[in-house]
Amino acid sequence: MLQKTPTSPPVTDLTIPHAEGVSDDEFRAAMSRLAAGVVLVTAHDPDDGPRGEDVGMTATAFLSVSLDPPLVLVSLRNGSRMDDLLEEVPVWAVSVLAENQRHVAGRFAMKGRVSDRLLFADLPSTRGEESGAPLLDGALATLECRTESRVVAGDHTLVVGRVLKVGLPAPDGDPLTYFRGKYRRLG
């Protein structure tokens, strides 16, 4: 007779405490020592106002997942405007920021802003053909994506997107990086 293994509730339904001895500050300090590239994630919210509104968010938790098919992943704080929007809007874009776009990263990293309309006002960009989202001029690369899956992971949601279109507006520039809590130059 076969014995069945009891099933556990889904992990997304559980609150998992920190591992014994790991504080928020220790974890933050350890992860700050991992250098990361900086991107601007953008999407167009068609339901915000008569012509909709563009939404943007600075992210350092962005990576390539697969070459075939071309997939990327971005981590979004649960309940953030971008997380809520990408739950409703299936297409979005990413601009890989160049070192000289540090001001853009800082602008879209501000918490508690009411509207992104003014943040985009003076930024040279083009509207993506696939996503309808802003793609920054001068970015090292741009990617337009369609959400393939969403996975809740702790206080963030991991969004996997299929890359629909790639652009290389400024492929020879230096990347903007983030290390120990500050934007940095590579090298």
Side-chain angles (χ1 to χ4, degrees):
M1 184 169 180
L2 292 174
Q3 281 189 304
K4 290 186 178 180
T5 305
T7 57
S8 300
V11 173
T12 56
D13 294 344
L14 299 175
T15 301
I16 301 172
H18 284 295
E20 188 173 321
V22 178
S23 71
D24 289 352
D25 290 341
E26 289 171 322
F27 182 68
R28 226 180 254 113
M31 296 314 298
S32 76
R33 282 144 175 89
L34 176 64
V38 183
V39 301
L40 179 67
V41 179
T42 58
H44 183 74
D45 183 354
D47 298 330
D48 192 347
R51 289 179 290 163
E53 183 175 13
D54 295 324
V55 177
M57 179 197 99
T58 301
T60 56
F62 176 77
L63 59 103
S64 169
V65 173
S66 169
L67 185 60
D68 187 17
L71 300 173
V72 293
L73 178 145
V74 65
S75 179
L76 307 174
R77 185 177 35 80
N78 293 342
S80 67
R81 183 165 185 204
M82 188 62 74
D83 179 39
D84 292 343
L85 181 57
L86 293 191
E87 192 168 24
E88 302 296 322
V89 176
V91 289
W92 42 282
V94 173
S95 296
V96 178
L97 298 182
E99 194 282 326
N100 64 358
Q101 293 176 312
R102 179 183 303 222
H103 66 287
V104 174
R107 181 184 294 194
F108 286 92
M110 291 186 306
K111 290 181 171 64
R113 58 187 190 265
V114 175
S115 170
D116 286 4
R117 195 174 314 270
L118 293 175
L119 301 181
F120 281 106
D122 64 344
L123 290 179
S125 64
T126 56
R127 194 154 299 280
E129 294 173 19
E130 300 288 335
S131 65
L135 303 169
L136 291 187
D137 295 355
L140 298 181
T142 58
L143 301 99
E144 292 186 81
C145 306
R146 181 183 64 240
T147 299
E148 290 279 309
S149 64
R150 297 171 53 86
V151 178
V152 175
D155 59 1
H156 279 64
T157 298
L158 308 177
V159 179
V160 176
R162 181 181 294 252
V163 179
L164 306 172
K165 189 168 181 123
V166 171
L168 300 172
D172 296 328
D174 290 326
L176 180 60
T177 58
Y178 193 73
F179 181 69
R180 291 193 175 185
K182 295 181 182 176
Y183 298 115
R184 310 278 182 149
R185 290 186 78 129
L186 185 64

